[in-house]
Each structure stands twice: as C-alpha cells, then as structure tokens.
C-alpha cells in the first residue's frame, strides 16, 4: 500500500461515517468539521494500530532519534541537553506505549467528540510536535558529514544518505515514508488541527457525556494491555517486517542482490566540495567530460535506474535472462513465479532493497562469515536471537604477565656445533581483563526455558546457534558459560537482529533459509510440540 492509497481509503471511510452520522443522528453542525474529525480520527487510529502491534519497533525508532538529538545538541549552546537523551533512551519502550495509546485514544476522541476543547488542543500540539520531528529528519539531509545541524552556513545540497534517521516510523513497518513525504503529511494535518482550535464547538458529539468518558477510559486500559501483550508476553501477532513467517531469507537476499546488480548507471551527479554547486549528466555525456570534474574538487554520485528483475516463461518452467539474453531455469525464477502470480510470457518488476539484504552473521572459524552456511542448511535449525547481552556490571582487573625472551647460542661440542637456548631476559607487561556479570533476569530465560527445549533438538541432530550483536570473544565466552549454552554464538548488526524477532531472546526456526516460525521466549512450546506442529 502507498500513502496515496491509504489517504484515499481513509477519506472514503471518513465520508461514509460522516454521511451515516449526519443522516441518522442529526448531530452534525458543520459538515466540513465533522468530515475532518472522522478523517483525522480514522487516520490516527490506523497509524496507532500498526504501531500498537509492534511497540518495540517504535521504541527502537525513538532510540535512534534520542541518539541523533544527543549528537546534535553536543558542542552547541544547548549542550546541557545532550546528557538527557541517553537517559530518555532507557525509557524508550515506556514512551512508545504512551505515544501509541495516546494517538489511538485521541483518534477515538475526535470521532466521538469527547472533551472537544481538550481534544482540539491535544491534536494540534501532537501534530505540531510531529511536524517538527519529521521536518528535522528531512532537513538533516542537507547537513554533510562532520557538520552540526545548527551550523546552517555549512549546509550543502540535499543528500539522502546524510540522514541518520531515514524514516519517521509514522506507520511502523506497514508503510515506509520518505522523510519529505512524511513532513508534508504533517504539514497537511496542521490545517485541520488549526480549524479544530477555532471551531471545536462545531465538532459533532456521539452518545452522552458519561458514555464518551467510559469509552475513553476503557479503551485506554484495553490498548495498554494490548501493547504489553505484543512485546512483554508475546511477539506481534501481525508482522509487517521482511522476516515474517514463510519469508525465504535465502531467496529474497539473492533476489535483492540480483536486482541491485541489474540496476544500470544512467547518470552521474557531481557536487563541488567548496561551493555546493551541482550538475548531472547522462552516462555517455559524463564519460566525455569527466576530466573537467577532478575528484579533489568534486564529489561523484552514481544515479541508477530502478532495480528490476525479469522472469520469462520457458519450455521447462520459468527462467531469469542472463546477461547474454539467454534465459535459464533457476530456483529463484520458480520462487518468483509463485510470489508474483505470473501471467503471460514475461514479467519485469522493481525489487526494493529491504533489511534482508543486510542479513549477515560472522563468528565461524577465525571469525569467518557463516551467512550462507546458515541459509543453505537443508535441514531444520534453530536460531536464538538476542540483540543485546545485558550485563549487571563489568569488572576490569589488571594482571602482570611475564614474557620470557630466549637467546640462542652456538656451542662447539667435540666435532659438532650445537644450538643452546638460554634465557636472555624476562619482560613484564600489564594486561587488562574484563569480567562480565550478567543480569539474572536476562539469564533465566536462557537457562530455564530456551536451552532445555533446544537441548532436545540438539540431541536429535538439529543445529542450534545464537545470533547476537557484535561483542568481544571474551564476553561471548563468559555468557556461554554463565548461561550453560553449548552451541556457537555468531554476531551481526543489532538493528538487523531487532528486525528479525521482537524478543530478547527470541527463537527462530529455519529450514533451507526459510522462516518456518518465530517465538517469544515466554511462548516457546515444548520440543515435542515444536517437532509435531512445525517440523514436518
């Protein structure tokens, strides 16, 4: 779904509700205000719901914003605010639940006309806050690396990769909005929010005052429990992320890589490092004049066509054309034929890059990449995902080590010469060692729930491994010992791991690179149930 489709759908629902209220209750004083009540109410309820199914996702987005604000205010007149944001990040999940519940309840209050003056002001302030937030996100695209946001004189041309937060998360993972689109959405919502301030007395009201209050109170309580159920006790029941059940990570990763490689460079954009002057040329034209833009003075950016993958119908099934134009049968082609519901002889579609492209794990022998060993495993395997290993404290101790340096001398013995090794000197050096003490509340799910279940899978020959964020070998080894985990620990990007499963730890069942199912550790079934229901 696109933002245009969403807006049209919300507008259609709002229009039907307005007509229904107008012709059945006779409570509408101003048709435009009532329509805007329903439009903004439905939009806020939907926007809040797609985040309520995944409050951890909103919390992670807030952590990104807090980190960006910390670095933005650091080194400015407002540097005294910087230490506040890491503290706020610790409460990100609380802020997430509050904001999600508040957004949905505010949408309900708009639709039923509850506490009209308060609702009008609350809606205006929330929209104004979102406008500032999305505006900041978009404007960071003009801030080059190494330049602070408040150094306005050093801003350059807009570059999307300058942004640390690439989307606002307004609709969670359901729809990803470009920063400018998100900003304009909030600017648009400022119009009805201002109208509500001046004409709140014209807003329609449904039911009696007591009933409206009861709806708000009961709805707030139910929504809080609903949000908690989607991260404290279970993973989200609706998964809009690319690693959902039945997602084939192996083939999707291959597809996105193929599309990226197929994306032809159609133009080059050059930007003067000193003046910010930009120019863009088609590929052939740039190749003729590239000497006029030396890299010491100009930044170069490739402009690529849309990443497209083409599938053609062949005598044996489906194939993907090779670079020479000859089609060949592949597993990926057959997979796409099923996913795309192909009709006709040829289909070409744009394939957008997702987080699946970033699926990489390392930690094999000598730190080697194990990504494709995992994805190409034809049998069932269990991946325990923990984006962070929580420590209670870390103790750093210093030890004195002695390094003995030997000297080799030649000694004549009768008719031969022998090499004799003797001590030359003893060097002393200090070595720091870190001892990690892990939180008991974090260890218990491993020792009491996850490991006992997966130990049975290991006994039957299935591979079990853990995936966690980058950490030192010492920390991983100490955690393995503390949690009695006798399987390998691999490491990867923490944002990737947060995307895979909303539980720390969470368990993912894989087969041949495909996600069979996922579980919050509190909902992990006994192994025999896993085997009977999911490993067929």
């Amino acid at each position: 779904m696109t933002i245009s489709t969403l807006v049209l759908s919300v507008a259609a629902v709002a229009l039907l509700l307005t007509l229904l209220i107008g012709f059945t209750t006779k409570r509408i004083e101003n048709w435009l205000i009532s329509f805007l009540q329903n439009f903004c109410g439905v939009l806020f309820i939907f926007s809040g719901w797609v985040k309520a199914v995944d409050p951890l996702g909103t919390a992670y987005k807030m952590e990104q914003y807090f980190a960006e604000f910390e670095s933005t205010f650091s080194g400015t007149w407002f540097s005294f605010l910087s230490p506040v944001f890491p503290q706020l990040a610790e409460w990100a999940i609380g802020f997430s639940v509050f904001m999600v519940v508040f957004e949905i309840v505010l949408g309900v209050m708009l639709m039923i006309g509850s506490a009209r003056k308060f609702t009008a002001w609350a809606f205006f302030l929330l929209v104004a806050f979102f406008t500032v937030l999305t505006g900041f996100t978009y404007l960071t695209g003009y801030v080059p690396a190494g330049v602070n946001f408040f150094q306005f004189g050093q801003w350059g041309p807009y570059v999307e990769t300058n942004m640390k937060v690439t989307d606002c998360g307004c609709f969670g993972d359901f729809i990803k909005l470009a920063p400018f689109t998100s900003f304009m959405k909030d600017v648009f919502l400022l119009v009805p929010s201002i109208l509500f301030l001046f004409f709140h007395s014209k807003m329609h009201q449904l039911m009696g005052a007591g009933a409206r209050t009861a709806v708000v109170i009961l709805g707030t309580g139910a929504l809080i429990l609903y949000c908690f159920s989607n991260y404290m006790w279970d993973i989200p029941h609706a998964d809009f992320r690319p690693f959902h059940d039945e997602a084939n990570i192996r083939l999707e990763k291959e597809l996105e890589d193929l599309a990226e490689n197929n994306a032809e460079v159609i133009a080059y954009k050059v930007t003067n490092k000193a003046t910010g002057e930009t120019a863009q040329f088609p590929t052939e034209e740039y190749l003729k004049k590239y000497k006029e833009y030396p890299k010491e003075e100009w930044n170069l950016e490739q402009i690529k066509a849309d990443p497209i993958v083409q599938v053609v119908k062949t005598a044996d099934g489906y194939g993907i054309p090779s670079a020479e134009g000859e089609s060949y049968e592949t597993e990926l082609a057959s997979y796409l034929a099923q996913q795309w519901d192909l009709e006709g002889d040829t289909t070409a579609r744009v394939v957008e890059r997702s987080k699946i492209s970033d699926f990489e794990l390392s930690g094999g022998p000598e730190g080697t990449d194990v990504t494709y060993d995992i994805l190409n495993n034809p049998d069932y395997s269990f991946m325990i995902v923990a984006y962070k290993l929580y420590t209670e404290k870390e103790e750093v101790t210093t030890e004195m080590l002695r390094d003995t340096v030997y000297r080799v001398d030649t000694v004549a013995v009768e008719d031969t010469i022998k090499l004799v090794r003797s001590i030359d000197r003893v060097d002393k050096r200090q070595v720091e060692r870190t001892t990690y003490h892990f939180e008991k509340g974090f260890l218990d799910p491993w020792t009491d729930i996850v490991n006992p279940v997966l130990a049975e899978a290991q006994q039957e020959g299935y591979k079990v491994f853990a995936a966690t964020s980058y950490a030192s070998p010492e920390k991983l080894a100490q955690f393995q010992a503390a949690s009695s985990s006798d399987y390998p620990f691999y490491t990867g990007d923490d944002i990737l791991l947060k995307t895979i499963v909303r539980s720390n730890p969470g368990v993912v069942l894989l087969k041949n690179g495909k996600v069979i199912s996922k579980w919050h550790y509190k909902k992990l079934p006994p192994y025999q149930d896993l085997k009977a229901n999911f490993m067929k």
Side-chain angles (χ1 to χ4, degrees):
M1 179 179 285
T2 64
I3 185 61
S4 300
T5 305
L6 175 62
V7 170
L8 290 175
S9 300
V10 170
V13 172
L15 179 60
L16 290 174
L17 288 173
T18 305
L19 293 174
L20 182 64
I21 294 170
F23 291 117
T24 59
T25 67
K26 308 296 183 181
R27 295 194 177 196
I28 291 182
E29 295 186 48
N30 185 301
W31 284 85
L32 175 61
I33 294 297
S34 289
F35 171 77
L36 292 176
Q37 276 182 261
N38 289 323
F39 178 85
C40 296
V42 171
L43 182 64
F44 264 44
I45 290 172
F46 178 79
S47 172
W49 177 77
V50 295
K51 294 193 289 287
V53 299
D54 183 18
L56 273 182
T58 302
Y60 296 151
K61 183 63 64 176
M62 287 184 170
E63 289 175 355
Q64 286 183 275
Y65 271 112
F66 289 143
E68 182 63 15
F69 290 150
E70 179 187 5
S71 62
T72 297
F73 287 111
S74 180
T76 69
W77 290 352
F78 305 100
S79 58
F80 64 92
L81 293 174
S82 292
V84 173
F85 295 107
Q87 298 176 25
L88 293 178
E90 296 180 6
W91 295 91
I93 184 59
F95 288 125
S96 170
V97 172
F98 172 79
M99 291 298 295
V100 167
V101 172
F102 182 59
E103 186 175 4
I104 298 176
V105 170
L106 192 56
V108 172
M109 293 175 72
L110 277 171
M111 294 181 66
I112 65 177
S114 179
R116 292 181 293 186
K117 187 174 183 179
F118 169 82
T119 300
W121 275 102
F123 183 74
F124 170 75
L125 293 175
L126 188 60
V127 170
F129 170 74
F130 284 152
T131 303
V132 172
L133 197 64
T134 55
F136 168 80
T137 304
Y138 168 64
L139 291 175
T140 55
Y142 292 95
V143 184
V147 175
N148 188 278
F149 182 83
F150 294 107
Q151 294 174 306
F152 304 116
Q154 298 185 39
W155 284 20
Y158 179 81
V159 179
E160 186 175 356
T161 54
N162 285 342
M163 293 181 294
K164 303 296 188 297
V165 183
T166 55
D167 72 272
C168 67
C170 300
F171 295 99
D173 289 298
F174 183 76
I175 301 177
K176 294 289 187 180
L177 298 184
F180 180 73
T181 304
S182 186
F183 174 55
M184 294 309 297
K185 167 188 68 71
D186 291 324
V187 170
F188 168 78
L189 288 176
L190 281 175
V191 176
S193 71
I194 293 173
L195 288 175
F196 291 153
L197 291 181
F198 288 98
F199 300 102
H200 59 81
S201 61
K202 300 294 184 180
M203 296 167 68
H204 67 251
Q205 289 185 302
L206 305 180
M207 304 176 291
R212 291 194 297 269
T213 302
V215 167
V216 171
I217 293 175
L218 293 176
T220 300
L223 285 168
I224 292 174
L225 289 175
Y226 178 70
C227 287
F228 284 165
S229 70
N230 285 318
Y231 81 93
M232 286 189 67
W233 308 310
D234 203 352
I235 58 177
H237 66 83
D239 193 349
F240 303 122
R241 300 181 306 280
F243 296 95
H244 54 79
D245 288 0
E246 301 300 314
N248 195 312
I249 303 173
R250 176 174 59 87
L251 293 180
E252 287 291 339
K253 185 176 175 68
E254 183 180 343
L255 171 64
E256 293 178 16
D257 289 343
L258 178 62
E260 186 71 21
N261 293 333
N262 285 348
E264 181 185 0
V265 178
I266 58 176
Y268 286 87
K269 181 179 180 181
V270 292
T271 304
N272 189 286
K273 296 180 180 180
T275 65
E277 176 190 353
T278 63
Q280 184 169 313
F281 308 100
T283 300
E284 291 184 5
E285 183 178 350
Y286 173 77
L287 293 177
K288 295 177 181 178
K289 57 174 59 176
Y290 72 93
K291 292 182 180 180
E292 300 176 19
Y293 301 96
K295 63 181 181 180
E296 293 80 11
E297 301 175 13
W298 297 81
N299 288 322
L300 179 65
E301 178 185 356
Q302 291 182 338
I303 308 298
K304 291 187 175 183
D306 289 333
I308 292 176
V309 169
Q310 185 180 40
V311 179
V312 299
K313 195 169 185 179
T314 66
D316 299 323
Y318 292 94
I320 296 177
S322 64
E324 293 74 24
E326 299 177 359
S327 57
Y328 54 92
E329 180 67 18
T330 66
E331 181 186 11
L332 180 60
S334 299
Y335 171 74
L336 294 181
Q338 298 173 359
Q339 297 295 310
W340 292 354
D341 191 20
L342 293 185
E343 295 181 3
D345 295 332
T346 303
T347 297
R349 298 190 185 181
V350 175
V351 177
E352 299 290 347
R353 181 182 174 90
S354 74
K355 205 64 185 174
I356 281 182
S357 293
D358 299 330
F359 184 87
E360 293 181 356
L361 296 176
S362 60
E366 300 181 359
T368 55
D369 188 290
V370 295
T371 303
Y372 291 99
D373 291 338
I374 292 169
L375 297 181
N376 290 323
N377 183 357
D379 207 347
Y380 290 103
S381 62
F382 291 89
M383 176 170 64
I384 307 167
V385 178
Y387 77 89
K388 184 177 181 180
L389 303 178
Y390 287 97
T391 56
E392 191 172 64
K393 63 178 180 178
E394 300 177 9
E395 293 180 345
V396 179
T397 58
T398 302
E399 295 182 12
M400 187 68 69
L401 297 183
R402 299 173 181 269
D403 293 331
T404 303
V405 179
Y406 292 91
R407 180 178 65 249
V408 178
D409 298 319
T410 56
V411 179
V413 179
E414 296 181 352
D415 296 333
T416 63
I417 295 177
K418 291 187 177 181
L419 299 178
V420 178
R421 190 176 71 164
S422 60
I423 296 176
D424 181 47
R425 66 182 188 277
V426 176
D427 294 335
K428 297 180 180 180
R429 60 185 175 92
Q430 288 185 339
V431 176
E432 288 188 348
R433 298 190 185 280
T434 303
T435 302
Y436 299 91
H437 299 271
F438 299 95
E439 295 181 7
K440 184 178 185 301
F442 181 65
L443 284 173
D444 288 346
W446 296 77
T447 56
D448 300 344
I449 302 174
V450 175
N451 286 349
V453 171
L454 299 190
E456 296 184 51
Q458 287 180 288
Q459 290 174 1
E460 295 195 2
Y462 295 111
K463 181 177 177 61
V464 175
F465 62 95
T468 188
S469 57
Y470 299 112
S472 65
E474 293 76 17
K475 184 174 184 179
L476 294 178
Q478 290 182 41
F479 182 80
Q480 285 180 276
S483 60
S484 301
S485 303
D486 60 348
Y487 41 79
F489 273 61
Y490 304 134
T491 58
D493 177 62
D494 65 325
I495 297 179
L496 167 73
L497 300 176
K498 290 175 181 178
T499 306
I500 294 175
V501 61
R502 301 301 203 205
S503 178
N504 192 28
V507 177
V508 182
L509 177 61
L510 299 170
K511 184 177 184 181
N512 204 20
K514 182 179 180 180
V515 177
I516 305 301
S517 193
K518 302 186 290 188
W519 296 273
H520 191 287
Y521 70 85
K522 290 183 179 179
K523 293 291 185 176
L524 184 63
Y527 175 68
Q528 294 306 320
D529 291 348
L530 284 174
K531 186 176 180 180
N533 297 322
F534 300 97
M535 303 167 67
K536 299 177 181 178

